[in-house]
Amino acid sequence: MARPKENERQDVRPLVLAAAQRLFLEHGYHNVTMRRIAREIGYTPGTIYLYFKNKAEILYELHNAGFRRLQERRVRALADGAGGAIEKLAVGGKNYVAFALENPELYELMFFLREPREHIEARRAAPDGPEAAEIDYSLKSYENLKTTLRECMAEGYYPGADLDTTAFFHWALVHGLASLAIRDRVPFPRKPTRELADAVVELLMGLIERTRTGRRGRSRKTEKRP
């Protein structure tokens, strides 16, 4: 197949990404080749190599796009007017689980495939490389969580706690909740609904409230759903 014209290139990338996502989930990352992805969209492997160096780069872009969507959702939710830091933490947790429930296949790809860690770490270790201008949204998402927790600590929550340990605790809880929900591992008779997820996050917020020094009580405002 002839090399695509410049004005055709933007149409090829989403085709490759969509086909790769479907094939990775159906057959497993290690069982899918660049040739198979090319066959799926009706292009030659050489054409795909004009846009992606290898299969690992395709997976990284899918991974990063998922986190970008999660970040965009968080920004929209906070724009609705979350109050103090603890409210921001609650909004972030609820939206994280809601994102997983609404995008289970994408969430599977973001977290449950054995992604090529070497490729991701190499990108992060090369700040002057060609990808330096690109945002790593998975790191950005985690840094946003740490920023919110830092604000919580400044307001008296988690006195004496280590920031990195606390951030990992929060992420592990909401990720575990999301993972159990989208894989339908919620014990009978409950269903993996957003209402159940919200209730769990609210329970966590109540427990956090008890750690606050000089606490006056948390506002129980109802967050708007995006």
Side-chain angles (χ1 to χ4, degrees):
M1 181 175 290
R3 184 187 181 97
K5 298 177 181 178
E6 188 64 33
N7 62 357
E8 295 175 336
R9 289 195 176 191
Q10 291 185 347
D11 294 329
V12 175
R13 291 184 68 87
L15 286 176
V16 172
L17 292 172
Q21 177 174 328
R22 183 171 60 254
L23 291 172
F24 290 162
L25 289 170
E26 289 179 0
H27 304 287
Y29 172 77
H30 294 289
N31 296 321
V32 176
T33 63
M34 293 288 272
R35 183 175 298 278
R36 186 167 188 176
I37 296 170
R39 186 168 64 245
E40 186 79 7
I41 64 173
Y43 279 79
T44 65
T47 299
I48 296 184
Y49 281 112
L50 296 174
Y51 308 100
F52 300 98
K53 296 176 185 176
N54 50 39
K55 188 176 63 169
E57 187 172 81
I58 294 175
L59 180 55
Y60 177 84
E61 292 220 11
L62 290 168
H63 169 93
N64 206 38
F67 278 100
R68 183 181 67 245
R69 289 175 58 181
L70 179 60
Q71 166 70 7
E72 291 167 350
R73 182 188 184 105
R74 176 182 180 274
V75 170
R76 289 196 301 271
L78 292 179
D80 284 341
I86 198 68
E87 293 296 337
K88 292 179 184 177
L89 192 63
V91 169
K94 291 178 182 180
N95 276 275
Y96 184 101
V97 180
F99 173 84
L101 288 171
E102 294 168 13
N103 304 277
E105 291 186 351
L106 180 58
Y107 196 83
E108 288 264 352
L109 185 148
M110 290 162 63
F111 287 107
F112 301 137
L113 290 184
R114 292 184 177 276
E115 61 183 89
R117 297 301 305 177
E118 299 84 4
H119 179 80
I120 292 176
E121 294 303 325
R123 292 175 68 104
R124 293 174 179 172
D128 299 323
E131 298 90 0
E134 297 181 17
I135 298 174
D136 185 330
Y137 282 96
S138 61
L139 281 181
K140 186 175 181 63
S141 176
Y142 201 64
E143 287 303 318
N144 285 337
L145 172 60
K146 289 175 68 174
T147 296
T148 302
L149 286 170
R150 196 176 287 113
E151 294 173 2
C152 288
M153 291 175 175
E155 293 181 7
Y157 298 98
Y158 286 124
D162 174 73
L163 177 60
D164 288 320
T165 302
T166 307
F168 186 75
F169 164 76
H170 274 271
W171 176 75
L173 187 140
V174 294
H175 171 62
L177 176 58
S179 303
L180 290 170
I182 66 174
R183 291 192 166 188
D184 199 19
R185 294 295 190 270
V186 178
F188 180 84
R190 300 304 298 269
K191 297 294 183 181
T193 63
R194 180 166 179 178
E195 287 71 27
L196 175 59
D198 286 355
V200 172
V201 173
E202 280 296 320
L203 175 61
L204 175 63
M205 295 303 108
L207 295 174
I208 294 171
E209 178 64 33
R210 298 181 184 181
T211 73
R212 189 178 188 184
T213 55
R215 60 182 184 270
R216 291 172 295 176
R218 171 174 170 250
S219 169
R220 303 299 295 179
K221 63 178 279 191
T222 301
E223 298 91 346
K224 296 180 180 178
R225 291 188 179 179

